Amino acid sequence: MASDVIVIGAGVIGLTSAVVLAERGRRVEVWTRSPSSETTSAVAGGLWWPYRIEPRDRAGDWALASLAVMTGLAGRPERTGVRLAEGTHAGQAPGELGAWAARVPGLRAAGAGELPRGYDRGVRVRLPLLDMTTHLDYLTRRLRAAGGTVAVRPVDSLAQATRSAPVVVNCTGLGARDLVPDPSVHPVRGQLVVVENPGIDEWFTAADDAGADTVYVFPQPYGAVLGGTAQEHAWDRDPSPRTARAIISRCSRVFPRLARARVLGHRVGLRPARPRVRLEAEPLPGGGRLVHNYGHGGAGITVSWGCALAAADLVETATPS
């Protein structure tokens, strides 16, 4: 059966876009260069948080739409990979976060006794924390249940896809740099360390959109994820032992028990950054259309459902966003 829509890319942006379209009755096929388990999404820490993404006002709306969906999915964490977890974001007060923060249920200023040494302000909130391996598997199963398919096949050009379906949704992330081509897309390198969890059950972050070094600790079913880095225009995917030691040191200042935790693994992911997310449609010869949905920086997971819903609306209306 011929496809109505081809979605290029099987990270969290591509899979959520495909799921929304398939559940709206479209015949959807996902084309991907690599399995979902090998995408940038698979190595992400997994916390819902609008980080390193523009434009901020629209990103806030997309993030809040995703928050609503993920909160519903958190009722079945063993199946969806989504659970709600308490935690602290240090270094910023609620009023410094953006308009979206006022619409997050339960988000409040942290008291002095709730902050680690060295931080004078922060927020406390219960948020979705995703085990990305489980979540990507869940999205793939949900897509197939709606009649969609996933094909591992390289895509050399957008024209290759547009010849095969009347609508193509471009969710290629960093790959859009060459495929579109769009030279404004660039990597922001993130390195993290996975260690045995010494009993930490809350997440912690201290990161802003400008710093190259961040601090985050995410308790996951497979261990504690420690981060991190945000290195602009860095393409190296090999973990740096020196950087790993620095990450463990920063995180251990917040949770001293981490200094003695056994290291289980190292990960590097290249966030697909852009001056602003590209979420828009363009017409194709013969009445087809190409919808772009890429450039989500450090917030791909956070805005995934909101952007998927917006991309699906563009497929239906062909009205540029």
Side-chain angles (χ1 to χ4, degrees):
M1 182 179 294
S3 299
D4 297 323
V5 183
I6 290 174
V7 176
I8 309 176
V12 69
I13 294 294
L15 288 178
T16 50
S17 296
V19 166
V20 171
L21 286 163
E23 292 182 350
R24 289 187 180 185
R26 294 280 183 158
R27 294 170 296 181
V28 180
E29 184 176 3
V30 175
W31 289 4
T32 177
R33 177 180 56 191
S34 304
S36 295
S37 60
E38 298 176 14
T39 63
T40 297
S41 299
V43 303
L47 180 70
W48 181 98
W49 191 266
Y51 172 65
R52 284 184 175 261
I53 183 171
E54 295 287 348
R56 293 193 179 188
D57 54 345
R58 298 200 66 202
D61 291 338
W62 295 327
L64 290 165
S66 298
L67 178 61
V69 176
M70 291 177 183
T71 299
L73 296 178
R76 299 176 296 163
E78 69 290 337
R79 175 175 172 80
T80 67
V82 184
R83 73 185 195 279
L84 297 179
E86 296 281 348
T88 301
H89 174 74
Q92 292 179 297
E96 298 174 272
L97 295 176
W100 59 267
R103 297 165 59 191
V104 176
L107 188 149
R108 62 173 177 83
E114 297 174 308
L115 292 167
R117 181 180 301 177
Y119 296 98
D120 62 355
R121 63 196 189 281
V123 300
R124 291 278 299 167
V125 64
R126 185 176 174 86
L127 294 176
L129 181 59
L130 285 64
D131 171 359
M132 289 309 298
T133 298
T134 301
H135 188 59
L136 292 170
D137 286 346
Y138 163 74
L139 292 175
T140 301
R141 293 194 309 270
R142 184 166 164 178
L143 172 62
R144 288 173 174 155
T149 61
V150 178
V152 176
R153 57 181 294 177
V155 180
D156 298 322
S157 68
L158 292 173
Q160 178 184 351
T162 60
R163 288 192 296 266
S164 300
V167 177
V168 172
V169 183
N170 172 24
C171 303
T172 53
L174 194 58
R177 180 179 177 90
D178 295 324
L179 191 65
V180 172
D182 183 347
S184 72
V185 181
H186 63 276
V188 176
R189 182 181 183 275
Q191 179 169 332
L192 54 83
V193 183
V194 181
V195 302
E196 284 188 342
N197 190 340
I200 296 166
D201 58 8
E202 291 197 351
W203 57 267
F204 176 87
T205 62
D208 58 48
D209 288 357
D213 294 327
T214 62
V215 181
Y216 59 78
V217 178
F218 301 147
Q220 292 284 12
Y222 50 84
V225 177
L226 315 183
T229 64
Q231 300 165 318
E232 296 272 354
H233 302 281
W235 290 89
D236 184 7
R237 296 177 184 268
D238 294 326
S240 160
R242 180 178 180 180
T243 299
R245 290 192 295 270
I247 289 171
I248 294 170
S249 176
R250 291 197 298 272
C251 294
S252 297
R253 296 186 196 116
V254 180
F255 297 104
R257 288 172 290 175
L258 291 171
R260 300 181 298 276
R262 184 167 70 93
V263 174
L264 301 178
H266 301 270
R267 299 178 180 176
V268 173
L270 304 183
R271 305 176 183 95
R274 194 174 187 270
R276 56 190 292 126
V277 172
R278 189 176 186 188
L279 183 50
E280 61 185 10
E282 60 179 279
L284 296 173
R289 73 200 65 151
L290 172 62
V291 175
H292 296 286
N293 184 12
Y294 66 87
H296 304 87
I301 293 166
T302 302
V303 300
S304 56
W305 288 99
C307 287
L309 292 164
D313 288 344
L314 290 174
V315 169
E316 301 295 338
T317 65
T319 302
S321 173

